[in-house]
């Protein structure tokens, strides 16, 4: 296979987070990054113009590589907010000026190539089901990311049901993520055993509502999954995510590949 044939499977994915913006070239056939990822701290305040400047810097770096896709191909970008029809309707841990913002159009104009933005948890979920811990699982797979908040992705028979904000379910009078996110554990200084009790309450509630075939737990805390997953008593199998910090980048590129029929 020639280098140009190999590059046919390559797209750029960018993952915008509250503390860092990461990007990489994704091989859609393998679901893996080609070469190292690029990471730059998220500018503060994380308003549209400075964030777009960092994204452009990362794209320029990736474009300079031998394995870069053609510059007329679309780019996938994740964002920590509700994304519907190219418009951002919420902004978690970034500047509130993103709310009701035409985010697809903004990045398309800024990068001078087609851009599609997807919720960050949705991107991670899509990647995990296509390439990771949920590969080959039929029915409902719920990918729950434990981080600053609780992100979620709802995938049914391999198809994403976008913008499922399951971290905002009300449990015992509280927004679930205010008590059961990874940051909530750190903020309150609670140990793994007490944290597991909170996770049990959360996952039991979600299990009752949706009866999934599989839970996949992502976010940085998934690296410590042995501290809490064995303590949870559920009907549903629950496993740590496999793609770790690359899931958002891979999922962003995958979503664009699917929509533009660049990947089956």
């Amino acid at each position: 296979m020639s280098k140009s044939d190999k590059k046919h499977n390559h797209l750029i994915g960018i993952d915008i987070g509250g503390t860092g913006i990461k990007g990489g070239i994704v091989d859609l056939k393998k679901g893996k990054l080609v070469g190292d990822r690029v990471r730059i701290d998220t500018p503060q305040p994380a308003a549209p113009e400075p964030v777009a400047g960092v994204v452009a810097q990362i794209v320029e770096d990736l474009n300079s590589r031998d394995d870069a896709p053609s510059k007329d191909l679309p780019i996938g970008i994740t964002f920590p907010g509700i994304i519907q029809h190219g418009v951002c309707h919420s902004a978690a841990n970034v500047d509130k000026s993103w709310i009701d913002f035409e985010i697809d159009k903004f990045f398309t104009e800024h990068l001078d190539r087609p851009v599609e933005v997807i919720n960050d948890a949705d991107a991670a979920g899509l990647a995990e089901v296509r390439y990771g811990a949920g590969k080959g699982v039929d029915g409902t797979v719920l990918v729950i990311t434990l981080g600053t908040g609780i992100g979620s992705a709802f995938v049914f028979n391999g198809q994403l049901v976008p913008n499922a904000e399951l971290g905002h379910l009300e449990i015992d009078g509280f927004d679930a993520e205010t008590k059961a996110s990874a940051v909530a554990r750190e903020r309150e200084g609670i140990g793994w055993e007490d944290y597991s009790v909170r996770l049990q309450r959360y996952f039991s509630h979600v299990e009752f509502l949706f009866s999934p075939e599989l839970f996949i737990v992502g976010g940085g805390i998934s690296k410590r999954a042995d501290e809490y997953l064995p303590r949870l008593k559920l009907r549903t199998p629950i496993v740590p995510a496999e793609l770790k910090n690359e899931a958002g980048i891979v999922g962003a590129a995958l979503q664009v590949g699917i929509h533009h029929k660049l990947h089956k």
Side-chain angles (χ1 to χ4, degrees), residues 179-199:
K179 294 293 183 180
S181 69
V183 164
R185 186 190 80 84
E186 294 169 4
R187 183 179 62 241
E188 297 184 38
I190 62 175
W192 293 109
E193 187 171 354
D194 289 337
Y195 183 56
S196 299
V197 172
R198 296 187 182 191
L199 289 179

Side-chain angles (χ1 to χ4, degrees), residues 59-100:
V59 171
E60 183 178 5
D61 183 312
L62 297 172
N63 277 338
S64 69
R65 301 182 184 182
D66 290 341
D67 291 309
S70 169
K71 292 183 181 180
D72 60 351
L73 287 176
I75 289 175
I77 296 179
T78 79
F79 190 81
I82 296 168
I83 310 296
Q84 193 170 28
H85 307 302
V87 178
C88 179
H89 292 294
S90 69
N93 308 304
V94 288
D95 196 80
K96 300 306 178 188
S97 58
W98 290 97
I99 297 173
D100 297 327

Side-chain angles (χ1 to χ4, degrees), residues 2-246:
S2 70
K3 179 172 277 192
S4 61
D5 288 334
K6 288 180 181 178
K7 284 173 60 174
H8 181 70
N9 295 313
H10 294 179
L11 285 178
I12 288 175
I14 305 289
D15 187 10
I16 296 174
T19 58
I21 300 176
K22 301 169 289 189
I25 298 169
V26 179
D27 183 332
L28 292 180
K29 195 166 186 179
K30 298 177 180 178
K32 294 182 178 180
L33 298 195
V34 180
D36 294 333
R37 67 175 185 165
V38 181
R39 184 194 183 282
I40 299 175
D41 287 348
T42 303
Q44 303 300 329
E49 286 293 340
V51 166
V54 171
V55 170
Q57 189 178 341
I58 292 173
V59 171
E60 183 178 5
D61 183 312
L62 297 172
N63 277 338
S64 69
R65 301 182 184 182
D66 290 341
D67 291 309
S70 169
K71 292 183 181 180
D72 60 351
L73 287 176
I75 289 175
I77 296 179
T78 79
F79 190 81
I82 296 168
I83 310 296
Q84 193 170 28
H85 307 302
V87 178
C88 179
H89 292 294
S90 69
N93 308 304
V94 288
D95 196 80
K96 300 306 178 188
S97 58
W98 290 97
I99 297 173
D100 297 327
F101 187 79
E102 291 188 347
I103 194 167
D104 278 15
K105 179 181 178 183
F106 173 72
F107 279 113
T108 294
E109 292 175 349
H110 210 282
L111 298 174
D112 196 28
R113 61 198 285 183
V115 171
E116 184 172 326
V117 182
I118 180 175
N119 171 267
D120 54 354
D122 281 349
L126 201 61
E128 281 293 336
V129 169
R130 181 63 63 98
Y131 304 111
K135 185 177 181 180
V137 179
D138 292 329
T140 299
V141 177
L142 296 180
V143 182
I144 306 295
T145 59
L146 303 172
T148 306
I150 295 179
S152 62
F154 190 122
V155 184
F156 180 74
N157 287 344
Q159 299 296 309
L160 176 69
V161 180
N163 298 309
E165 292 285 337
L166 302 185
H168 296 287
L169 288 171
E170 185 178 306
I171 299 176
D172 300 330
F174 295 97
D175 202 32
E177 69 176 18
T178 65
K179 294 293 183 180
S181 69
V183 164
R185 186 190 80 84
E186 294 169 4
R187 183 179 62 241
E188 297 184 38
I190 62 175
W192 293 109
E193 187 171 354
D194 289 337
Y195 183 56
S196 299
V197 172
R198 296 187 182 191
L199 289 179
Q200 178 71 55
R201 181 78 181 90
Y202 174 71
F203 281 105
S204 292
H205 185 61
V206 176
E207 180 181 62
F208 177 75
L209 292 176
F210 299 106
S211 297
E213 300 299 324
L214 179 67
F215 281 119
I216 301 172
V217 180
I221 200 173
S222 63
K223 290 182 284 191
R224 304 290 301 274
D226 58 333
E227 301 277 8
Y228 55 90
L229 287 192
R231 302 175 193 268
L232 302 183
K233 307 302 179 189
L234 302 163
R235 297 191 316 276
T236 307
I238 184 166
V239 298
E242 292 182 3
L243 275 69
K244 308 300 185 205
N245 288 330
E246 295 182 358

